Amino acid sequence: MKEFLTDKINNLPPSATLSMAAKARELKNNGIDIIGLSLGEPDFNTPDFIKNSAIDAINQNYNSYSPVDGYSELKEAICKKFKRDNKIIYNPDQIVVSTGAKQSIANVIQALIKPGEEVILLAPFWVSYSAIVLMADGIPKILESDITNDFKVTAKQINDSISEKTKMVIINSPNNPSGSVYNKDELNEIASVLRNHPDIFILSDEIYEHINYGSEHVSFASIEGMYDRTITVNGIAKAFAMTGWRIGYLGAPVWIAKACTKLQGQVTSGANCIAQRATIEAITQSPNKINYMVQEFEQRKDLIIKLLSKIKGFKLNNPDGAFYIFPDISYYFGRKIGDITIKNASDFAIVILEKAHVATVTGDAFGSPKNIRISYAASKENIIIAVNRIKDLLH
Ligand code: GLU
């Protein structure tokens, strides 16, 4: 039946994060005791103050279509949040609320990237950026980094890679999958490069903003000269344990926001009305309300680093944010685990899944073929069991 599908769909890779989660779910349903460390999904419940506002919204009969770009009260709350947390002044007509930050990103790329235009991706990068660029017939231009430089691409690399076809740079800090946080100096250096190229846009994906263990979060649009060409994307999924509620949003120049609204109006309309009402409550409250989750993530990070560092061949760094660890496991390339010779990170992730029953994600999907991504958004108990299983398999 493949011949009936478009080339675009036939060539589109499935999301590696979601595929691994689906595979783990399937094995679990078949009675295998899998520990899922593949998905970036907090294991906490959504806080009660948010759940209660959703229940109120249902009882107040919020059941109709919302405006395509979101309720005006929500857009106003988002503007206040941007001012409070990010030092960025947006007006409500610069905000578009979508069904998850993923849709916000897809809207922007569909709106701005013309066939053949290049989008610079800083590896490691989140799996869907490259796929979304390819869907727009754009060209992902991948710049590499590795564990020795804390998985950060430099301003010089960006400068050297800019061509007349470059249309956009995607910056994601704190980063998925490395957890690295680009500091103010590093972002200022990138901005200095981009000042010489006024036609390049910046998509700043700040979805992990609040999962930060002490580094300063700097929003790219707040850097001098960057506001007029930066699109700031954020959402509630990671910070408020609301992945399934599917609300993301962006702040951008009015003309870009309008383009995204037009596109969304033809594809999905406004995001879920109950989830939008609950988001007003989530982002209006002080971010301190979720400190207990961030503190717990930090303890889990320390735990998983301590445990993984005892496994032969795992090279680790100590990231400042998000809830992933991204070890370099290239030591195993060309070696055998049981009777299987490991050729690459995908083989390694599959062996870990099949023999240790721990789900992770191969680094290939993130543009870093020596690594695997392990999510520690899981209980300490499961982290301990999972790492012991991996250790037993490898030692
Ligand atoms: N962003 C999360 C992850 O990287 C959720 C899955 C996805 O949409 O990729 O695991």
Side-chain angles (χ1 to χ4, degrees):
M1 293 299 149
K2 228 176 143 184
E3 67 271 22
F4 293 117
L5 295 171
T6 60
D7 290 346
K8 214 167 239 188
I9 287 299
N10 282 328
N11 295 334
L12 184 69
S15 158
T17 47
L18 300 183
S19 311
M20 198 52 155
K23 201 163 184 177
R25 212 174 288 135
E26 188 188 315
L27 291 169
K28 232 177 192 166
N29 289 343
N30 292 337
I32 300 172
D33 172 25
I34 299 289
I35 298 182
L37 303 182
S38 57
L39 212 51
E41 169 153 78
D43 59 328
F44 293 99
N45 292 327
T46 302
D48 284 345
F49 71 95
I50 302 173
K51 289 199 283 200
N52 289 336
S53 72
I55 293 164
D56 288 348
I58 293 172
N59 288 329
Q60 288 161 12
N61 297 310
Y62 277 98
N63 46 245
S64 311
Y65 292 126
S66 77
V68 172
D69 51 348
Y71 286 115
S72 57
E73 298 92 322
L74 175 54
K75 292 195 298 169
E76 271 158 30
I78 290 168
C79 291
K80 284 189 186 143
K81 177 254 173 283
F82 273 130
K83 191 174 171 199
R84 179 192 67 199
D85 300 341
N86 310 100
K87 301 189 192 94
I88 315 174
I89 305 297
Y90 287 124
N91 293 316
D93 60 355
Q94 296 179 270
I95 306 296
V96 184
V97 178
S98 299
T99 302
K102 195 183 274 190
Q103 188 184 24
S104 304
I105 293 164
N107 281 348
V108 172
I109 289 176
Q110 282 294 335
L112 284 177
I113 303 305
K114 298 177 187 165
E117 288 183 332
E118 292 175 354
V119 178
I120 295 180
L121 303 181
L122 316 185
F125 56 85
W126 176 52
V127 289
S128 293
Y129 296 153
S130 50
I132 293 172
V133 170
L134 288 171
M135 272 194 287
D137 295 322
I139 301 170
K141 194 156 188 184
I142 296 168
L143 307 188
E144 290 178 8
S145 71
D146 64 26
I147 203 157
T148 57
N149 47 23
D150 204 22
F151 299 110
K152 289 185 194 172
V153 171
T154 62
K156 181 174 185 317
Q157 282 175 280
I158 294 176
N159 188 44
D160 294 349
S161 73
I162 289 173
S163 76
E164 70 283 358
K165 289 195 214 140
T166 307
K167 180 67 168 280
M168 181 183 281
V169 181
I170 302 186
I171 295 175
N172 171 219
S173 173
N175 177 271
N176 173 7
S178 72
S180 293
V181 178
Y182 281 77
N183 65 35
K184 201 175 194 162
D185 290 345
E186 290 157 344
L187 293 175
N188 275 331
E189 280 168 28
I190 295 174
S192 298
V193 167
L194 294 173
R195 262 184 218 110
N196 298 328
H197 301 278
D199 294 336
I200 296 179
F201 293 85
I202 303 96
L203 194 162
S204 180
D205 177 357
E206 302 181 15
I207 188 77
Y208 293 93
E209 171 188 10
H210 292 302
I211 319 287
N212 185 323
Y213 310 120
S215 296
E216 183 188 4
H217 177 79
V218 179
S219 287
F220 206 77
S222 71
I223 300 176
E224 205 196 318
M226 295 298 114
Y227 177 81
D228 285 336
R229 51 199 176 110
T230 299
I231 301 98
T232 310
V233 171
N234 210 324
I236 50 161
K238 313 294 181 181
F240 298 98
M242 293 175 73
T243 50
W245 296 63
R246 309 306 302 129
I247 296 291
Y249 54 86
L250 62 78
V254 174
W255 63 275
I256 297 178
K258 271 196 179 147
C260 291
T261 303
K262 181 164 78 167
L263 173 61
Q264 189 166 299
Q266 291 287 22
V267 179
T268 57
S269 297
N272 177 289
C273 59
I274 307 303
Q276 284 195 57
R277 301 310 301 184
T279 301
I280 298 175
E281 189 61 28
I283 63 170
T284 299
Q285 297 288 331
S286 158
N288 292 342
K289 281 226 168 188
I290 55 139
N291 275 354
Y292 68 97
M293 293 193 244
V294 180
Q295 280 159 11
E296 176 66 22
F297 286 136
E298 188 170 15
Q299 287 176 19
R300 293 173 187 183
K301 179 188 75 161
D302 293 343
L303 174 70
I304 200 162
I305 289 177
K306 191 173 116 204
L307 297 172
L308 287 175
S309 63
K310 294 187 184 131
I311 300 184
K312 189 167 57 186
F314 271 60
K315 277 192 222 147
L316 299 156
N317 68 333
N318 190 346
D320 282 339
F323 32 58
Y324 308 109
I325 194 91
F326 199 54
D328 177 325
I329 47 79
S330 57
Y331 167 84
Y332 290 95
F333 296 176
R335 294 178 194 258
K336 279 192 158 197
I337 301 178
D339 50 4
I340 297 162
T341 304
I342 302 298
K343 293 184 297 303
N344 49 42
S346 299
D347 287 352
F348 189 83
I350 286 167
V351 170
I352 297 284
L353 177 69
E354 289 178 351
K355 304 249 190 257
H357 296 165
V358 177
T360 60
V361 186
T362 174
D364 293 296
F366 303 95
S368 292
K370 290 177 175 175
N371 301 68
I372 58 165
R373 189 189 77 174
I374 305 177
S375 162
Y376 54 85
S379 70
K380 285 179 185 144
E381 193 190 358
N382 274 346
I383 289 171
I384 293 169
I385 299 172
V387 180
N388 278 340
R389 284 186 192 176
I390 297 173
K391 194 170 164 195
D392 289 347
L393 175 70
L394 297 178
H395 283 204

